[in-house]
Amino acid sequence: MEIWSLRGKKILVVDDLPDMRTMLRTLLVSLGAEDIKTAKDGDQAMTMMETNKFDIVLCDYNLGDGKDGQQVLEEVRHRGLLPYAALFVMITAETSTPMVMGAAEYSPDDYISKPIPKATLQTRLRKLLDKKERLRPVLHAMQQRSYTTALTQCDILIEQDPSNRFDLLRLKGELLLTMGECEKAKALYEALLEVREVPWAMLGLGKTLYYLQQYDIAADWLRRLIDSHPMVIAAYDWLSMVLEKQYDYKGAQEVLAKALERSPKSILRQRRHGEMAYRNEDLNVAERAFKLAMRVGKGSCFRGPAEFAGLARTLVKKDAAVEAVKLVDTMTREFRDDPAAQLQTSLVDSVVQQALGNAELSQQAAGRAIELFQRHPDKVGSDTAMDLAEVCFHQGNADAARDLLRHALRNQHEDTVTQKRVREMFNEVGLAEEGQALIEATAQEVLGINNRGVRLAQEGKLEESIRLFEQAATAMPENMTINLNAAQSLVMFMRERGVTQSYLNKAEIYLNRVQAVDVANTKYQKLKELLSHMVASQ
Amino acid sequence: MNTPHSPEGLDFSTVLASCLHDVKNSICIFLGMLEDVVSDTAADDPRFTRLLKMQYEGQRISNDMTQLLGIYRGNNAQLSPHVAEVDVADFLAEQAQVHAIMLEYKGIHVDIDCDRSLTWFFDQEMISGVMTNVINNAYKYTHSQLQIGAAEQDGGLVLSIRDDGPGYPDRMLTHSLTGFSPADFKGGSTGLGLGFAAMVAGLHKNKGRSGYVRISNEGIGGGGCFSLWLP
């Protein structure tokens, strides 16, 4: 037992109590550790992780008033500060901590509860380091984003060393989902669940079924998971997304409320709860949720203008626009350097001033928003564009509204919900025919660009094809067809003329946009696989 | 931890849980430092016995608090096990290791009987809490021998701890199937340990089956035997 030691490992201890840090340090030193750093809260921990590469992070779940351990983990994973090969161990005050289980990619490697006997820490760390070492080929490939290699390595290791098969299957399931191989992921999770109902497999299956748009069965599995493991918070989040797809907004709001009872500190969840309540016209709930989102979001990398905008709109609906004025000031100050957020701010400002009866101020604000849109169309989503167009129509600025709606339609040229909303807006101002014409013309325009780009590629004019699609993808960042074709032309170019880092990065950006919306898309799967091979060959 | 701020809203169990949670940090530091001191003290040092006694009592305090909090969380549906695949032999070795110095000092010999390749799914921390409590109890009653074992049985995993002490009193055995035994402060037992163990076992579910605990006097020479079945 004594031969094993922590010598040579870089370790970070995160705990808000100085005595606890001392105690843990002594404990680690007694296990041979020499390189130990300590942090007293989440922010300090993150600063240290920016400049140091740690092998082991021991983080207390309760860190006083600031971020809790789970939030620290989510942020460092999100910001890429924690490599897959590093250990993150959550230390909890109770055997039975009322602690949330986040999404699979945001789970710690292990939980250890206080008090921590030396023997426990030693056995656990040794086992965990040993496991990481055995999984190294897979984790290394994942770190390189070479997902096909990672998948192959998973299969090899499962064959070689079945004792790790559950860890490997868990990784494999996530890899399959990243690659868009939903049917295979589904089969994997179903086979596993035949043997044992492990929570991560139930969650994995629920997610997979969501991507496959099998919403009824997805909801069943997620509900079962919540019943048997009420602290798996990610299950509530996915269930609310499933219910939203089934147009059950009331249900989605309820599920989010239940998740928040157990885990109130997530800004994204608070924000979504607010948005769902706003949609259900449950304005008091929406107001409270947006306020909470603002409070828990302080200092978080997930903080955005959405919760401010949501609150301002809620206040306007509650006839409390006066209160919203201060909020707009805060937004202006907080998001000075982000044009997309500035546009949101000006848009909300315009709505608020309109509610207060200040027509001129409202028009000025809308003018600023339009100007930002003209300068940064690539940063404006279709929903924002339609919201702004609504304001423009109201102010009699049909020209600006038309531009904005064309932008929305370009981004969503096949989406019936977008088309419906555009049609209604034109109808309202008595321009039904023009609206219909715009919808059809824009769909034709996108189709034309696509055809031209594909033809160029077929003719071997790959550089021209790339230029065309990249331009289009900047103008319509939400358009899945355009993003897929942009990635495809880059991949085709690299197959013919060799792989370059800058083209790899670009292609990944376009594919990531698709992944976020439609991971089960077959064209996405094909391109992701080709790209993954190219990354591996690098 | 949040406690209600208005005095009339103060709920005793919430306050108690919050308080225990806080004290837990102190006891953690206390036990951590004490463990360090014990390992630095020679066994022939005149203070060694007293240090061990302190460690033993400290662990008892910690166990009771863990169980109280666990039951509080359980009653508030805030408990769900972090089920992971566990190497059972390693897990049992870890349990014995944690108590090694004390058991050795009392001359109690520990045997572990478990197939090396056995793995099972459970929440290590929760089950470890149960095991610690049982071993701590056994420490009080056992003469010289403790057998810790694990095996597959009836499609589940059975963890068992046998001692060669006088065995459980009849009144505990009669209540063993229902989990909680009634509080008996005189005997120094509150039934908390068994209640907690039964709750933790029950939280482990798979394919419609739940875990359970059993106690009997089928230990060594009629000594106590505690067993935990996990699906």
Side-chain angles (χ1 to χ4, degrees):
Chain A
M1 270 235 167
E2 292 312 316
I3 305 160
W4 180 85
S5 110
L6 288 171
R7 190 161 295 120
K9 301 280 181 224
K10 277 181 83 98
I11 304 173
L12 175 65
V13 171
V14 192
D15 202 307
D16 57 329
L17 304 172
D19 285 333
M20 197 71 77
R21 293 197 294 272
T22 312
M23 203 272 295
L24 279 167
R25 180 191 277 276
T26 314
L27 195 55
L28 289 163
V29 167
S30 78
L31 294 175
E34 292 161 336
D35 192 349
I36 306 167
K37 291 201 162 50
T38 56
K40 66 174 167 54
D41 57 30
D43 291 332
Q44 212 179 59
M46 276 189 270
T47 314
M48 299 185 94
M49 289 175 77
E50 279 165 17
T51 44
N52 294 277
K53 254 184 81 182
F54 294 102
D55 300 301
I56 302 170
V57 179
L58 295 177
C59 181
D60 198 86
Y61 180 74
N62 289 295
L63 294 172
D65 294 333
K67 298 185 181 76
D68 63 35
Q70 182 63 31
Q71 288 175 302
V72 172
L73 174 59
E74 286 177 15
E75 294 216 2
V76 294
R77 277 270 151 83
H78 182 79
R79 293 173 54 195
L81 295 176
L82 187 72
Y84 289 112
L87 274 186
F88 191 102
V89 177
M90 196 79 83
I91 296 178
T92 63
E94 302 170 32
T95 311
S96 42
T97 295
M99 187 177 41
V100 305
M101 261 169 85
E105 61 270 38
Y106 296 134
S107 314
D109 291 287
D110 203 357
Y111 300 88
I112 300 184
S113 63
K114 297 178 197 170
I116 310 169
K118 183 175 163 184
T120 304
L121 191 66
Q122 179 171 11
T123 326
R124 295 290 182 81
L125 288 182
R126 187 163 63 158
K127 273 212 88 79
L128 291 167
L129 287 169
D130 186 42
K131 189 164 87 182
K132 284 271 172 181
E133 183 56 32
R134 278 183 286 169
L135 299 180
R136 209 173 52 89
V138 181
L139 300 175
H140 179 75
M142 281 171 71
Q143 196 67 42
Q144 307 293 318
R145 284 171 299 164
S146 163
Y147 300 113
T148 32
T149 315
L151 271 174
T152 322
Q153 288 297 337
C154 266
D155 288 333
I156 294 173
L157 289 180
I158 290 171
E159 187 105 335
Q160 274 175 3
D161 183 8
S163 72
N164 278 315
R165 69 191 183 287
F166 279 92
D167 292 310
L168 287 161
L169 287 171
R170 182 176 184 166
L171 286 172
K172 187 176 172 180
E174 284 166 36
L175 285 165
L176 287 171
L177 283 183
T178 309
M179 299 292 293
E181 303 247 30
C182 296
E183 289 296 343
K184 281 191 190 163
K186 185 179 164 205
L188 179 145
Y189 289 128
E190 280 174 347
L192 232 154
L193 289 165
E194 279 291 306
V195 183
R196 174 155 289 269
E197 290 178 350
V198 270
W200 56 261
M202 292 165 91
L203 184 64
L205 184 57
K207 257 159 80 169
T208 309
L209 293 165
Y210 169 87
Y211 289 132
L212 290 168
Q213 301 181 9
Q214 297 174 16
Y215 300 126
D216 288 338
I217 329 173
D220 275 352
W221 273 105
L222 292 166
R223 284 210 174 90
R224 263 172 78 177
L225 176 54
I226 291 171
D227 284 343
S228 59
H229 295 84
M231 295 310 281
V232 182
I233 297 299
Y236 299 78
D237 294 335
W238 283 94
L239 180 57
S240 81
M241 282 160 66
V242 168
L243 293 173
E244 192 181 349
K245 288 284 183 194
Q246 293 178 315
Y247 308 107
D248 179 5
Y249 304 122
K250 281 260 185 324
Q253 185 188 330
E254 274 165 32
V255 170
L256 285 166
K258 275 200 194 121
L260 286 165
E261 269 171 35
R262 292 181 162 79
S263 167
K265 277 189 177 176
S266 157
I267 172 178
L268 300 177
R269 192 173 301 123
Q270 290 286 8
R271 185 195 291 161
R272 244 177 80 71
H273 185 223
E275 283 165 355
M276 215 46 79
Y278 181 82
R279 192 178 220 161
N280 290 326
E281 309 233 346
D282 198 343
L283 297 178
N284 290 330
V285 173
E287 180 180 348
R288 204 169 54 234
F290 285 127
K291 281 182 175 162
L292 280 168
M294 285 163 58
R295 195 181 316 153
V296 298
K298 281 210 175 85
S300 159
C301 69
F302 299 111
R303 182 181 181 81
E307 53 270 21
F308 292 82
L311 180 56
R313 285 175 185 279
T314 308
L315 291 171
V316 167
K317 269 217 174 155
K318 287 182 78 177
D319 293 324
V322 186
E323 281 179 58
V325 176
K326 233 181 24 216
L327 213 57
V328 173
D329 289 344
T330 316
M331 280 177 88
T332 313
R333 235 183 7 255
E334 294 248 342
F335 303 104
R336 205 176 295 145
D337 306 319
D338 176 356
Q342 280 179 337
L343 193 149
Q344 288 282 357
T345 308
S346 301
L347 170 56
V348 169
D349 192 6
S350 175
V351 173
V352 170
Q353 292 303 337
Q354 190 172 300
L356 289 171
N358 301 327
E360 198 170 323
L361 286 176
S362 174
Q363 271 194 11
Q364 282 168 13
R368 284 195 299 277
I370 294 165
E371 206 185 302
L372 282 161
F373 161 67
Q374 285 161 348
R375 250 190 297 149
H376 306 279
D378 55 315
K379 297 208 163 66
V380 183
S382 52
D383 285 330
T384 309
M386 288 190 284
D387 288 346
L388 183 53
E390 205 161 3
V391 172
C392 291
F393 268 136
H394 189 85
Q395 296 177 348
N397 188 352
D399 284 342
R402 215 172 279 125
D403 280 348
L404 284 157
L405 292 178
R406 189 181 295 114
H407 178 76
L409 289 166
R410 276 179 180 155
N411 271 293
Q412 301 284 348
H413 76 289
E414 282 172 323
D415 182 48
T416 47
V417 179
T418 306
Q419 290 174 354
K420 183 167 164 262
R421 189 168 165 201
V422 171
R423 198 172 293 129
E424 281 167 2
M425 269 192 245
F426 275 102
N427 285 356
E428 220 161 280
V429 289
L431 297 168
E433 270 175 44
E434 194 195 326
Q436 190 54 36
L438 184 69
I439 290 169
E440 282 163 20
T442 312
Q444 280 302 313
E445 181 199 8
V446 176
L447 211 62
I449 294 171
N450 263 320
N451 289 342
R452 220 169 338 128
V454 171
R455 202 162 44 241
L456 283 169
Q458 282 165 351
E459 289 165 3
K461 297 175 185 156
L462 287 170
E463 274 120 327
E464 281 174 64
S465 168
I466 290 173
R467 207 174 309 124
L468 181 86
F469 278 126
E470 290 215 287
Q471 222 172 11
T474 308
M476 37 188 124
E478 282 176 13
N479 191 302
M480 292 305 123
T481 317
I482 295 283
N483 278 298
L484 282 169
N485 281 331
Q488 190 178 26
S489 62
L490 288 162
V491 166
M492 282 169 80
F493 181 89
M494 286 190 284
R495 278 175 103 181
E496 271 187 26
R497 326 254 171 103
V499 177
T500 70
Q501 196 57 50
S502 82
Y503 274 23
L504 277 180
N505 291 347
K506 281 184 183 179
E508 268 190 344
I509 290 172
Y510 298 129
L511 284 187
N512 285 345
R513 288 180 184 168
V514 182
Q515 185 189 6
V517 188
D518 185 15
V519 78
N521 186 307
T522 46
K523 188 162 179 174
Y524 164 80
Q525 286 166 34
K526 219 181 84 196
L527 287 168
K528 186 84 182 167
E529 198 186 332
L530 286 170
L531 199 65
S532 176
H533 279 303
M534 289 177 175
V535 172
S537 72
Q538 271 276 293
Chain B
M1 291 263 23
N2 292 313
T3 43
H5 289 295
S6 59
E8 66 271 21
L10 280 179
D11 161 52
F12 180 68
S13 58
T14 314
V15 175
L16 184 65
S18 170
C19 188
L20 285 170
H21 186 90
D22 185 48
V23 176
K24 204 75 205 285
N25 280 324
S26 297
I27 198 85
C28 174
I29 293 167
F30 172 83
L31 282 174
M33 292 186 172
L34 190 56
E35 189 177 25
D36 206 37
V37 174
V38 169
S39 70
D40 282 349
T41 309
D44 57 358
D45 190 303
R47 286 166 299 185
F48 190 68
T49 319
R50 276 173 291 162
L51 284 172
L52 278 190
K53 181 70 178 159
M54 281 169 76
Q55 206 176 12
Y56 173 74
E57 296 300 336
Q59 273 177 5
R60 270 178 51 93
I61 298 173
S62 169
N63 289 347
D64 280 355
M65 293 197 317
T66 301
Q67 292 165 359
L68 272 178
L69 270 171
I71 287 167
Y72 172 78
R73 300 288 177 218
N75 289 343
N76 288 282
Q78 285 180 321
L79 256 189
S80 57
H82 290 287
V83 176
E85 196 181 23
V86 179
D87 187 323
V88 183
D90 274 2
F91 174 76
L92 295 184
E94 177 191 317
Q95 302 309 311
Q97 185 71 24
V98 168
H99 304 274
I101 298 184
M102 284 195 315
L103 291 166
E104 204 176 296
Y105 181 77
K106 234 198 135 183
I108 299 170
H109 179 75
V110 183
D111 278 316
I112 297 178
D113 177 24
C114 173
D115 186 341
R116 260 263 36 123
S117 62
L118 183 59
T119 63
W120 207 259
F121 288 84
F122 53 86
D123 182 318
Q124 288 197 78
E125 290 299 322
M126 281 190 187
I127 302 300
S128 160
V130 172
M131 299 290 278
T132 293
N133 187 49
V134 179
I135 295 174
N136 244 312
N137 252 326
Y139 177 80
K140 224 156 66 183
Y141 299 110
T142 305
H143 293 306
S144 62
Q145 231 185 323
L146 210 56
Q147 288 175 352
I148 304 178
E152 262 189 84
Q153 192 185 319
D154 182 26
L157 174 79
V158 180
L159 299 172
S160 60
I161 299 180
R162 285 165 215 279
D163 62 51
D164 62 353
Y168 290 99
D170 285 343
R171 59 178 171 80
M172 281 188 81
L173 292 173
T174 45
H175 288 289
S176 71
L177 286 177
T178 49
F180 274 96
S181 59
D184 171 13
F185 294 106
K186 258 188 296 178
S189 155
T190 55
L192 182 63
L194 268 184
F196 177 72
M199 188 187 77
V200 163
L203 284 169
H204 285 76
K205 296 186 173 96
N206 187 43
K207 305 249 135 206
R209 301 175 80 188
S210 306
Y212 57 83
V213 294
R214 284 272 154 79
I215 56 171
S216 72
N217 287 336
E218 288 158 19
I220 311 159
C225 171
F226 171 93
S227 60
L228 175 70
W229 186 88
L230 296 170

